[in-house]
Amino acid sequence: MMSMSQKNPFSSISKPVLELKGAKTFEYSDMASQLARAGKDVISFGIGQPDFPTPKHIVDEAVNALRSGFTRYVSPPGIPELRQEIARHVSAFTDAVDVKPTETLVTAGAKIAMFFAIATFISPGDEVIIPDPSFYSYAHATCYAGGKPVFLPLLEENGFSMTPEVFQEAITSKTRMVIINSPHNPTGGMLSKSDFKGIMELAKEKGILVASDEIYDHYTYVDGFMSVLDDPDWRDYVIHINSLSKTYAMTGWRLGYLVAREEAIKRFSMFTANTVSCTTSFVQKAGVAALSGPQDFFKKVLTDYQKRRDFMYSELTKIPGISVRKPVGAFFIFPNIKAILEGVKMSTEAFAIRLLKETGIVVLPGPAFPNEAGAGYLRFSYALPIEKIKRGLERFKIDVNAWTEQTA
Ligand SMILES: Cc1ncc(COP(=O)(O)O)c(C=O)c1O
């Protein structure tokens, strides 16, 4: 037993870890699972993951690898076949012509890939320009590294777009990195080609690193997607971050990758060597099958997702108090519910929690991404069958209507 005068050694948390915040996406899905276990009929528009199973040929390859004993440590940056396949895949998918396997690094997902990029290049005091709203871990990792997130508001009236003009205004002598994510979580927006090019040219001129999270690159419903790998002139200051999580429905497998110049890849690889040693060996074999195997299944996935998007959009526009922009990428829709919140006199977060507990509907409150700029918005994932979307929105309408009447 510790005496009163003794200090609890567990209370002296390091400064970087004190900066680290949790993930609301997982908090909400844990709350939802708890309610479902207690018998509540939960419909989740919450965590962002595809609802189709990992394609069979990918699963088979992992099983084969396990059965054949491919279960040992492998090289920290990744197995050569997968690095080769990533280099081939990104060169074919983007306009890049020259990505080499040594310019790739296999990681346990995109999230840790972004963490490596930030932890490697951001020192205390450095500024990182981050769209707002955005995937929460960008800001959290920046604070962990001692950097300062400089948030660029994405405004609904501008289509939640990030323009070169607002980027330019945010640049100071301390700006070290800008993070882009197009298609974008949580708004479902995508940078126009001219904005994309303008941001890239400005970053190049100012010597600012561009860390680009392209995890939704396959989920686009209009033309015009651009990658930071598209122009060879950009290559010296870009870090391309991607993952198999969403495209191949492999969120739980934990498999992603980085593409950057070789010197940077060697640095990132040290994190792997000193922490997990390598990304799970047999999962990497499955990754080779995913990238090199048939890609035609994705056409049907995209057609389905587009139908769900259209349905979700048209149903949401019919709900009084909601205004919404039609997403062009990813599988999220980000309606403005400010009028509803006024009617029920609640904050966005309190509303999302009430919806979960009373209605059994999981949505994420805008401020989970990760600031008050998201207040007044909800993020719905439409990666669920249309029949469930219909049932969920029906319940949403009935309950929210009742709450508004009670409050009035
Ligand atoms: C924009 C964005 N980046 C990264 C991730 C995390 O991806 P991964 O599963 O590859 O770590 C997500 C997951 O939702 C995301 O939406």
Side-chain angles (χ1 to χ4, degrees):
M1 273 260 281
M2 247 181 316
S3 75
M4 293 292 276
S5 58
Q6 273 176 317
K7 193 168 177 266
N8 175 2
F10 282 123
S11 67
S12 49
I13 310 291
S14 71
K15 196 165 179 295
V17 170
L18 277 175
E19 290 289 344
L20 214 46
K21 298 192 182 75
K24 287 270 187 262
T25 44
F26 287 109
E27 281 173 28
Y28 275 73
S29 56
D30 288 349
M31 278 191 275
S33 308
Q34 227 173 0
L35 286 171
R37 276 198 301 274
K40 186 138 191 119
D41 177 22
V42 171
I43 297 183
S44 180
F45 297 95
I47 202 158
Q49 57 185 340
D51 61 334
F52 64 96
T54 307
K56 184 176 176 302
H57 66 280
I58 302 175
V59 176
D60 286 347
E61 188 56 37
V63 172
N64 289 344
L66 276 169
R67 291 207 190 284
S68 66
F70 198 74
T71 52
R72 300 186 184 277
Y73 291 131
V74 292
S75 172
I79 60 173
E81 313 89 286
L82 183 53
R83 297 180 82 193
Q84 174 76 42
E85 210 30 63
I86 292 167
R88 188 206 56 76
H89 171 79
V90 294
S91 301
F93 191 77
T94 68
D95 286 340
V97 282
D98 63 340
V99 173
K100 300 186 206 65
T102 48
E103 294 176 314
T104 71
L105 180 83
V106 178
T107 62
K111 198 187 256 179
I112 198 154
M114 183 61 87
F115 198 93
F116 290 176
I118 292 171
T120 301
F121 291 110
I122 300 306
S123 301
D126 286 346
E127 292 179 0
V128 180
I129 295 180
I130 302 176
D132 191 14
S134 61
F135 189 53
Y136 56 87
S137 76
Y138 309 152
H140 295 181
T142 300
C143 293
Y144 176 83
K148 181 178 166 216
V150 173
F151 292 107
L152 275 197
L154 306 185
L155 302 176
E156 185 184 357
E157 54 270 31
N158 298 339
F160 297 116
S161 195
M162 176 169 156
T163 61
E165 292 73 32
V166 288
F167 172 42
Q168 178 146 35
E169 276 171 32
I171 296 173
T172 72
S173 59
K174 293 186 178 151
T175 308
R176 180 89 181 96
M177 180 183 277
V178 58
I179 295 178
I180 55 176
N181 171 223
S182 174
H184 182 251
N185 177 10
T187 65
M190 186 164 81
L191 287 171
S192 70
K193 280 197 173 192
S194 65
D195 284 344
F196 197 102
K197 286 182 190 164
I199 290 165
M200 294 306 293
E201 290 305 324
L202 200 54
K204 184 174 160 193
E205 183 194 317
K206 306 275 184 189
I208 295 170
L209 281 168
V210 181
S212 177
D213 179 347
E214 300 183 16
I215 190 167
Y216 296 107
D217 59 1
H218 282 65
Y219 290 89
T220 57
Y221 312 105
V222 291
D223 290 337
F225 166 76
M226 282 201 80
S227 165
V228 286
L229 296 176
D230 279 343
D231 188 333
D233 283 349
W234 297 338
R235 288 290 301 287
D236 284 338
Y237 60 101
V238 302
I239 303 167
H240 167 98
I241 290 155
N242 218 320
S243 156
L244 281 72
S245 287
K246 316 283 177 173
T247 313
Y248 301 99
M250 293 176 73
T251 51
W253 295 67
R254 312 310 303 132
L255 188 59
Y257 58 89
L258 280 153
V259 177
R261 286 296 191 210
E262 204 173 321
E263 314 86 85
I265 292 294
K266 284 188 181 151
R267 295 273 171 195
F268 302 150
S269 180
M270 286 186 213
F271 285 103
T272 311
N274 284 294
T275 54
V276 290
S277 297
C278 60
T279 304
T280 308
S281 54
F282 49 89
V283 166
Q284 294 198 45
K285 285 279 192 189
V288 175
L291 294 176
S292 65
Q295 308 291 309
D296 50 340
F297 74 92
F298 200 75
K299 248 192 224 142
K300 180 178 174 321
V301 169
L302 202 60
T303 311
D304 277 358
Y305 276 62
Q306 189 156 354
K307 278 192 199 140
R308 295 164 179 196
R309 175 201 66 159
D310 292 346
F311 181 74
M312 188 96 188
Y313 173 75
S314 89
E315 291 302 303
L316 283 172
T317 51
K318 291 181 203 153
I319 301 179
I322 286 191
S323 67
V324 62
R325 298 189 74 86
K326 196 173 199 172
V328 292
F331 39 71
F332 306 114
I333 191 159
F334 200 58
N336 176 332
I337 59 150
K338 290 178 186 171
I340 291 181
L341 293 175
E342 234 167 75
V344 293
K345 304 207 180 338
M346 294 176 89
S347 70
T348 322
E349 190 129 28
F351 182 86
I353 293 203
R354 183 170 181 190
L355 204 58
L356 172 59
K357 294 198 169 149
E358 292 183 21
T359 313
I361 301 292
V362 192
V363 290
L364 291 171
F369 298 92
N371 291 319
E372 281 306 303
Y377 297 87
L378 295 177
R379 191 197 79 175
F380 287 72
S381 158
Y382 49 85
L384 61 167
I386 284 197
E387 176 278 317
K388 265 196 172 174
I389 297 179
K390 201 169 177 174
R391 259 196 313 129
L393 291 183
E394 251 335 288
R395 264 202 237 163
F396 178 96
K397 263 192 290 196
I398 293 168
D399 284 15
V400 172
N401 203 14
W403 301 348
T404 313
E405 280 175 7
Q406 281 160 18
T407 317

